[in-house]
Amino acid sequence: MDIKKSQQDLGSLNEKSTSTDRRDFLAKSAALSVTALAGTALLSSNAQADDPAIVEPTTWGTKWGDPVTKNLYGMPSKYEHNVTRRYTKLLASGNYRASIAVTPIQESMGIITPNGLFFSRCHGGVAHIDPNEHRLMITGLVEKPLVLTMKELKRYPSVTRTHFIECPANGGQEWRGPQYNSVQFAKGFMSCAEWTGVYVKDILADLGVKPDARWMLAEGGDSSKMGRTIPMEKVLDDAMIVWGQNGEALRPEQGYPIRLLVPGWEGNLCVKWLRRLDFASEPWYCKEETSKYTVLKPTGKAIQHFYANEVNSTVTSPSPEIDWSDLKDGDTVEIEGLAWSGMGTITGVDISFDGGRNYVQAELKGLVLPKCWTRWSYVHTYKKGEELLLTSRAMDDAGYIQPTIDQEELVVGVEAVYHRNAVETWKVEKDGKITHVEVRSQLDRKPNGELFVEGKA
Ligand SMILES: Nc1nc2c(c(=O)[nH]1)N[C@H]1C(S)=C(S)[C@@H](COP(=O)(O)O)O[C@H]1N2
Ligand SMILES: [Mo]
């Protein structure tokens, strides 16, 4: 029986049946079950009628559950224990105080990352700040410099916005070819949450900015004293000071009690444990914007003040973590992924089965918001033994489309670390396993016309 489809049919039928009589309902359901049988089955199952999982009593169905007094702050089911952030030696100091823990984007659903899974990049460890002891100083070229307690700050009328934060080093290792057979490690330096806080422009309207204020320094209260300067146009557009993350206070890993949110721009501008905003006419040229976070070009010159994370996408399922080895011939399977752009709203995602030679349109799912993860999907009928090169490419309303790796290298050369947004490819092997490969030039083929496909380094 085609379970998923018949449930869907019942869903829509129930809505309609409110306005029709029972005879009409039966006639419709008969017609629908015929259509359901004629269509492609979405699900196939090996379940047997005498399956003990169906016919035997379960412990959880025959004994008391836990008292509700047991877990006053809830945790995921113990069976989800494998769904965690994971850390890597990359970007880590020996003691893991400067380190990164990446989000299991292959397990993410919808567009919100739960707080316990939000990626965490720290340059001096996770600070634990007492909000009663914390102050925000706003100083420099403002009419009324001010020091605020957290309670005072939260008196500003709040706004709630959904945005991703992405470290510009996301996928950066892949400049050297596929490094990880994992979507979590290859693309998990990002997460997306619903943030609550106040627009910096609203605070500035209150304090008054002097006309020659053109840059804002944001400084963290942690041991790394992360400092970055941000141009005023962006500050006055949509920069926020946030204290809420998915309906609760920011997590310590995200900068409790407050952080700066610079929607769509490099994650390191979103200064955590924020303690100071300073306005000036020139940029500060802090350590993190001179020695790091610049983009070296083939000429040897570096691009500075390069802030927005460009349009990007990835296939999260299938992925090396979620493969197709259990699929049977003819099974219908949903290819899913994420698309995002720091420059605007995703307008479309294409998917290729031949490493980017030909593309078809995928469907955007659910909410499509600016500077936010956008989920996309494509329903595929799997042929046992087929080999595919799955590549996705996204477009945004700023007019950008994801480049091929060759197109990107033409502009930034081969020494780049940050801002990699070239398309990425999973190879579906004959046995349904997924490997991360790199498809080189679309223009430059091997003599026999084949694409260059490089395996995991
Ligand atoms: N004060 C402070 N702010 C910081 C950092 C830091 O180490 N200290 N790390 C930055 C970097 S490099 C990134 S990518 C983002 C990561 O945000 P997250 O840890 O909430 O994911 O925070 C930025 N803000
Ligand atoms: Mo970062």
Side-chain angles (χ1 to χ4, degrees):
M1 179 57 194
D2 181 350
I3 301 164
K4 206 168 172 184
K5 187 137 198 264
S6 69
Q7 277 174 353
Q8 281 175 352
D9 289 344
L10 270 182
S12 52
L13 206 65
N14 285 341
E15 280 160 34
K16 284 181 204 144
S17 69
T18 50
S19 59
T20 47
D21 66 25
R22 191 174 152 75
R23 215 167 11 143
D24 199 15
F25 175 86
L26 286 174
K28 267 189 190 158
S29 73
L32 274 166
S33 61
V34 172
T35 343
L37 284 175
T40 321
L42 274 177
L43 274 184
S44 67
S45 168
N46 288 328
Q48 302 297 312
D50 58 354
D51 184 346
I54 305 172
V55 295
E56 297 296 329
T58 55
T59 46
W60 50 85
T62 49
K63 292 204 167 70
W64 284 111
D66 285 344
V68 294
T69 49
K70 195 179 168 192
N71 280 320
L72 291 180
Y73 193 94
M75 294 295 284
S77 160
K78 62 183 176 187
Y79 301 105
E80 298 295 316
H81 62 87
N82 212 24
V83 183
T84 65
R85 294 187 283 234
R86 290 193 166 79
Y87 60 90
T88 150
K89 285 204 169 106
L90 185 95
L91 302 175
S93 59
N95 63 5
Y96 286 95
R97 297 308 200 274
S99 52
I100 187 160
V102 294
T103 292
I105 56 172
Q106 70 278 9
E107 301 283 355
S108 72
M109 301 166 205
I111 54 172
I112 297 293
T113 311
N115 292 341
L117 297 176
F118 203 97
F119 91 104
S120 174
R121 169 68 178 138
C122 300
H123 293 240
V126 176
H128 294 273
I129 293 183
D130 177 347
N132 299 313
E133 305 286 312
H134 192 65
R135 303 287 181 269
L136 175 66
M137 177 189 284
I138 305 175
T139 187
L141 298 175
V142 283
E143 302 293 347
K144 280 185 292 175
L146 198 62
V147 175
L148 290 167
T149 64
M150 294 305 97
K151 274 192 167 165
E152 288 162 348
L153 176 68
K154 289 181 190 174
R155 274 186 216 136
Y156 281 109
S158 67
V159 287
T160 297
R161 292 284 178 272
T162 307
H163 291 297
F164 68 82
I165 293 181
E166 182 185 27
C167 176
N170 196 16
Q173 325 81 276
E174 313 289 314
W175 286 105
R176 306 278 173 279
Q179 301 294 313
Y180 295 116
N181 221 21
S182 154
V183 72
Q184 180 166 3
F185 284 108
K187 278 285 195 292
F189 297 34
M190 61 163 180
S191 301
C192 188
E194 191 195 76
W195 306 98
T196 298
V198 56
Y199 278 123
V200 179
K201 65 182 167 206
D202 289 347
I203 300 181
L204 289 178
D206 192 21
L207 302 190
V209 228
K210 295 195 172 155
D212 45 348
R214 277 191 291 280
W215 295 84
M216 179 183 85
L217 170 80
E219 185 189 61
D222 58 326
S223 67
S224 83
K225 303 281 180 294
M226 164 72 73
R228 288 286 322 249
T229 31
I230 299 148
M232 264 332 247
E233 301 80 63
K234 180 66 175 175
V235 171
L236 295 176
D237 177 17
D238 59 359
M240 293 169 75
I241 297 173
V242 296
W243 52 80
Q245 176 184 356
N246 294 330
E248 62 178 1
L250 288 185
R251 288 291 170 91
E253 296 94 313
Q254 268 65 59
Y256 180 86
I258 50 168
R259 86 178 303 164
L260 190 71
L261 179 71
V262 188
W265 284 22
E266 295 186 335
N268 54 89
L269 296 161
C270 301
V271 172
K272 304 191 277 188
W273 309 291
L274 183 69
R275 72 164 186 185
R276 185 160 69 109
L277 297 178
D278 199 344
F279 294 85
S281 56
E282 301 286 331
W284 262 254
Y285 296 110
C286 302
K287 179 180 116 228
E288 303 295 349
E289 47 201 18
T290 47
S291 78
K292 312 254 193 65
Y293 303 113
T294 56
V295 180
L296 194 62
K297 296 206 295 176
T299 55
K301 288 202 169 185
I303 308 175
Q304 233 175 1
H305 309 304
F306 186 0
Y307 302 115
N309 287 316
E310 300 93 328
V311 64
N312 214 331
S313 71
T314 188
V315 181
T316 52
S317 177
S319 55
E321 286 93 332
I322 302 180
D323 68 30
W324 283 353
S325 51
D326 63 323
L327 290 191
K328 294 182 292 300
D329 189 51
D331 274 353
T332 306
V333 61
E334 186 177 24
I335 300 170
E336 269 195 86
L338 293 168
W340 62 101
S341 167
M343 296 186 176
T345 306
I346 293 297
T347 50
V349 174
D350 294 337
I351 172 114
S352 169
F353 295 88
D354 56 9
R357 215 187 281 205
N358 299 288
Y359 279 100
V360 287
Q361 233 177 26
E363 190 190 325
L364 304 186
K365 279 177 71 151
L367 286 177
V368 180
L369 301 170
K371 301 165 195 171
C372 184
W373 275 1
T374 300
R375 186 161 284 275
W376 59 266
S377 144
Y378 187 90
V379 176
H380 173 66
T381 305
Y382 178 66
K383 287 186 206 69
K384 196 78 194 168
E386 71 184 350
E387 281 184 300
L388 303 170
L389 292 170
L390 287 182
T391 306
S392 65
R393 78 173 175 200
M395 286 136 255
D396 67 14
D397 65 356
Y400 290 95
I401 179 163
Q402 263 184 274
T404 66
I405 179 66
D406 309 84
Q407 287 167 333
E408 187 159 45
E409 281 180 2
L410 275 179
V411 181
V412 287
V414 293
E415 295 300 324
V417 178
Y418 304 108
H419 288 272
R420 182 186 161 97
N421 73 322
V423 295
E424 166 199 67
T425 302
W426 303 137
K427 181 168 181 211
V428 182
E429 307 282 357
K430 283 200 174 75
D431 58 2
K433 293 261 163 35
I434 311 292
T435 45
H436 189 185
V437 297
E438 184 170 273
V439 177
R440 299 304 299 189
S441 183
Q442 307 301 295
L443 320 163
D444 218 15
R445 301 271 169 92
K446 288 182 190 172
N448 64 3
E450 274 176 26
L451 295 169
F452 291 99
V453 179
E454 286 170 23
K456 190 172 171 286

